């Protein structure tokens, strides 16, 4: 062991004993789980030798060998070289001083959490030829045939393995039937780990592997409460089952949510792909499930290490952190980087912290970062006011109030103790039964969970409730099975109801009509208000998110051990449920990546991500620009390259490929020179914006910048000519050199330069939004449009 510095750091003396799993070990009361990361493995050691090496490092900072072995949580022995262990800050610091240690990461509880049928049809994958009045008054058959061709060519993903890191799986769900499936791919090397209410028979030719990871969780919180979750890969939350079925669920007829909503055929993106389940998220002790699970960093890193070794082709991770984490602080980024080396595509959710800018997580360039947008299906819940005005909201609650009842604003019914700024929130025990009994109550979103607001109205004797958006949520509404007749309204409609109530002087009335399902509701897609936004604070020269996909009010399979609302008092049981979040959009992209992998098994992870990005659309179904939750034009910091288009992605024409070495060179330029000990950074480094990425981000531009890119011809025809075009950010020019790319064969590469120049700084500053200007460029031949977004800020 070589020290980075020669100063000695003495070990803190232990004063007490603490019971830790699995052994009783001597330790300091200030011990915490840390991850000690060495980079990758050299390949010359067996797993047993790697474990012994990790024990040796622990023994160097612990007082006894017994204490060292008891402190170990995980030894990462496959692609990732490192270990997780209980350490004092002093011991962690001492290990961090060693030359061979790349980084030491404190694993904090609650650092990571989950980002929580029509969607695939809306994306153009599972549709038949349907009449589309927005496309020249004709049948929109071209897209349908392309979608059918994609699924057929991909064999519906039958030999591709999709790994899901989440809260487990409900194996009895019809979406995970293995009826008619071919034998498990011979490339699979994983296991079916048994546990509580989960035995080997729960794995099949669909769920080919299952594991669960508890060691990190239990070091933080103590033994798992057996009533709160299963000590196995079985899902008691619903989130993991939901995302798994979106990515790769079977086609299930007559599926519907509570009350029969959205009845039809449910299907995942790659319905014949195989699933490998890695349960890493667990309920936080003392909190309702509505608060979300916690996912331990050390547990996730162990799962990713196993998934890579097991032979998965795609990993879907609908988990992230609210903290802005650099690569060496982020377990997901580290795990995804090692997946990249093995050519595994990793798709991650961007986060649900919107509409605030600079909030996205999972921002590394080797991760496919996915934002969330809407579909064109709506469940209309019409509210009829006493003045005859009809306001159309949305609902998936199968109860109605056809008779006219008194209507009251929650702020007018709050008890005296409620803070003035929260009187309209319908907080638990905040409403006066005397004022609410028998009435419809208008509650405003925020502060507490939406379903709990309805439960509070019910507790106080209310007959129904209206869930109204505040300004920050715009017109995007969540659909949930409430316990009372309900409709959810956008911000403008909410204001109209508030004004009506105020104008009637306590004589307001309303009724709630029977819900109605409609398709073609627009504009769609629009960006969900919750989806996290750029700019990319950690990697400013990488435009994020990469893509957007359906994430608002998505129907998918659910755990029958979790009520549709996740509230403990809710006794309802469902097999399919609605949920919203970038958690739902992420597996859409993972499912598409599985189909592309099936068609192009030799393509790199970067090529597959490029294909999805450069074929995306920035238009809604009406042919207009995608908007945000308030109806304003959205930007690439919300949708990335655009809304994904499965029917186009398998034939992108050109791809921006990048090797593992290219990403190591990028990290050198970024300032991280020891990401892989086998790679030596050159003396002269390229700018970070020269990574061969399918989008362009140039922060703090002074005068001009030259951005270099290389594209690979993957089109069906060997000979091709691609012509440059685009729209630069306001006040700037963008020129390509050369402006025409000629290819003579498939697989041929051509390089070009983009010259981005400030021509009118005043115009730029006057039109930039949030300090950034946006544009795009594209390469076109007779069939393909290879489009890339541009984001620039001025220095």
């Amino acid at each position: 062991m070589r020290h980075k510095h020669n100063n000695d750091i003495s070990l803190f003396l232990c004063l007490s004993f603490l019971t830790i799993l699995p052994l009783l070990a001597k330790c300091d009361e200030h011990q915490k789980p840390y991850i000690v990361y060495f980079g990758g493995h050299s390949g010359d050691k067996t797993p047993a030798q790697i474990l012994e090496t990790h024990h040796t490092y622990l023994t160097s900072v612990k007082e006894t060998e017994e204490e060292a072995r008891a402190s170990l949580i995980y030894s990462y022995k496959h692609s990732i070289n490192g270990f997780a262990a209980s350490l004092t800050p002093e011991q962690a610091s001492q290990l961090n001083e060693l030359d061979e240690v790349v980084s030491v990461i404190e694993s904090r509880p609650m650092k990571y959490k989950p980002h929580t049928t029509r969607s695939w049809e809306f994306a153009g994958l599972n549709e038949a030829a349907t009449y589309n009045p927005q496309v020249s008054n004709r049948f929109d058959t071209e897209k349908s045939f392309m979608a059918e061709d994609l699924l057929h060519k991909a064999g519906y993903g039958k030999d591709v393995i999709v790994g899901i890191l989440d809260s487990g799986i409900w194996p009895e769900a019809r979406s995970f039937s293995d009826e008619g499936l071919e034998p498990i791919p011979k490339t699979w090397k994983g296991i079916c780990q048994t546990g509580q209410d989960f035995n080997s028979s729960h794995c099949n030719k669909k769920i080919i592997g299952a594991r669960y990871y508890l060691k990190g969780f239990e070091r933080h919180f103590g033994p798992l409460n057996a009533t709160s979750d299963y000590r196995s890969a079985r899902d008691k939350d619903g989130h993991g089952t939901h995302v798994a079925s979106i990515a790769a669920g079977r086609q299930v007829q007559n599926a519907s949510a509570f009350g029969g909503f959205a009845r039809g055929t449910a299907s995942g993106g790659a319905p014949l792909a195989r699933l490998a389940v890695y349960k890493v998220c667990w309920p936080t002790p003392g909190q309702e499930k509505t608060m979300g699970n916690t996912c331990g960093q050390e547990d996730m890193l162990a799962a990713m290490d196993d998934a890579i070794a097991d032979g998965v082709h795609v990993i879907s991770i609908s988990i992230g952190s609210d903290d802005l984490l650099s690569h060496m602080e982020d377990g997901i980024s580290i795990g995804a980087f090692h997946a990249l080396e093995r050519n595994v595509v990793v798709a991650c959710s961007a986060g649900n912290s919107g509409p605030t800018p600079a909030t996205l997580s999972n921002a590394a360039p080797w991760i496919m970062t996915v934002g969330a947008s809407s579909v064109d299906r709506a469940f209309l819940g019409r509210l009829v006011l006493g003045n005859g005005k009809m306001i159309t909201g949305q609902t998936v609650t199968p109860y109605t109030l056809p008779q006219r009842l008194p209507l009251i604003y929650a702020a007018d019914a709050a008890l005296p103790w409620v803070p003035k700024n929260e009187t309209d929130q319908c907080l638990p025990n905040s409403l006066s039964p005397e004022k609410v009994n028998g009435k419809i109550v208008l509650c405003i979103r925020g502060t507490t969970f939406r379903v709990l607001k309805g439960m509070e109205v019910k507790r106080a004797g209310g007959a129904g409730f209206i869930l109204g958006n505040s300004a920050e949520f715009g017109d995007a509404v969540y659909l949930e099975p409430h316990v009372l007749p309900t409709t959810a309204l956008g911000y403008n409609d909410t204001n109209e109801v508030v004004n009506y109530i105020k104008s009637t002087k306590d004589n307001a009335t309303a009724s709630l009509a029977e819900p109605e399902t409609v398709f073609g509701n627009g504009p769609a897609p629009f960006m969900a208000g919750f989806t996290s936004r750029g700019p990319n604070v950690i990697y400013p020269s990488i435009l994020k998110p990469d893509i957007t996909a359906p994430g608002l009010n998505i129907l998918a399979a659910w755990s029958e051990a979790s009520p549709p609302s996740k509230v403990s008092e809710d006794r309802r049981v469902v097999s399919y449920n609605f949920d919203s979040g970038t958690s739902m959009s992420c597996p859409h992209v993972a499912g598409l990546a599985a189909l592309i992998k099936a068609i192009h098994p030799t393509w790199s992870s970067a090529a597959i991500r490029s294909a999805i990005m450069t074929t995306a659309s920035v238009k809604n179904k009406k042919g207009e620009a995608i908007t945000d939750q308030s109806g304003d034009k959205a930007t690439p910091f919300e949708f990335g390259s655009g809304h994904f288009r499965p029917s186009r992605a398998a034939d992108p024409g050109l791809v921006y490929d990048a090797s593992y070495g290219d990403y190591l060179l990028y990290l050198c330029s970024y300032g991280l020179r020891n990401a892989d000990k086998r790679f030596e950074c050159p003396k002269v480094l390229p700018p970070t914006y020269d990574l061969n990425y399918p989008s362009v981000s140039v922060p703090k531009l002074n005068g001009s910048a030259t951005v270099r890119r290389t594209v690979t011809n993957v089109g069906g025809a060997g000979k091709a000519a691609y012509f440059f075009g685009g729209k630069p950010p306001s006040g700037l020019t963008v020129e390509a050199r050369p402006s025409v790319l000629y290819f003579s064969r498939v697989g041929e590469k051509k390089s070009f330069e983009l010259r981005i120049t400030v021509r009118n700084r005043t115009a730029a500053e006057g039109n930039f939004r949030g300090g950034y200007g946006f544009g795009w460029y594209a390469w076109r031949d007779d069939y393909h449009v290879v489009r890339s977004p541009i984001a620039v800020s001025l220095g």
Side-chain angles (χ1 to χ4, degrees), residues 654 656 709 711 720-726 734-743 750-755 777-781 786:
L654 306 174
Y656 293 85
R709 292 289 188 268
V711 287
Y722 283 83
F723 297 86
F724 178 82
V734 178
E735 300 172 321
R737 302 173 185 171
S739 60
V740 182
L741 300 177
Y742 296 99
F743 296 90
K750 292 288 184 177
S751 297
F752 62 93
E753 294 181 346
L754 288 176
R755 184 72 172 176
Y777 75 92
W779 293 102
R780 301 170 184 263
D781 68 355
V786 188

Side-chain angles (χ1 to χ4, degrees), residues 536-595:
N536 189 341
V537 177
I538 302 299
Y539 308 97
S541 60
I542 302 297
L543 198 162
K544 291 283 183 170
D546 293 307
I547 199 81
T548 188
L552 185 63
N553 304 322
I554 305 302
L555 180 71
W558 197 251
S559 167
E560 294 187 14
S562 179
S565 67
K566 290 192 179 183
V567 177
S568 56
E569 290 84 0
D570 190 351
R571 297 291 181 258
R572 295 172 293 181
V573 176
V574 296
S575 298
Y576 289 82
N577 197 25
F578 289 106
D579 207 350
S580 295
T582 53
S583 281
M584 285 65 250
S585 56
C586 171
H588 278 89
V589 173
L592 175 56
L595 294 178

Side-chain angles (χ1 to χ4, degrees), residues 425 427 444-450 453 467-468 470 472-473:
Q425 293 292 305
L427 302 176
I444 304 301
R445 273 179 67 183
T447 306
T448 191
F449 289 95
R450 298 172 296 275
K453 294 175 186 288
L467 182 61
S470 59
E472 68 175 305
F473 297 112

Side-chain angles (χ1 to χ4, degrees), residues 29-58:
E29 61 179 352
H30 296 109
Q31 281 193 129
K32 305 172 185 177
Y34 285 85
I35 295 168
V36 180
Y37 175 54
F38 298 95
H41 289 288
S42 59
D44 58 352
K45 291 184 179 180
T46 66
Q49 290 172 326
I50 293 168
L51 175 62
E52 192 56 40
T53 299
H54 293 164
H55 279 148
T56 300
Y57 281 103
L58 282 170

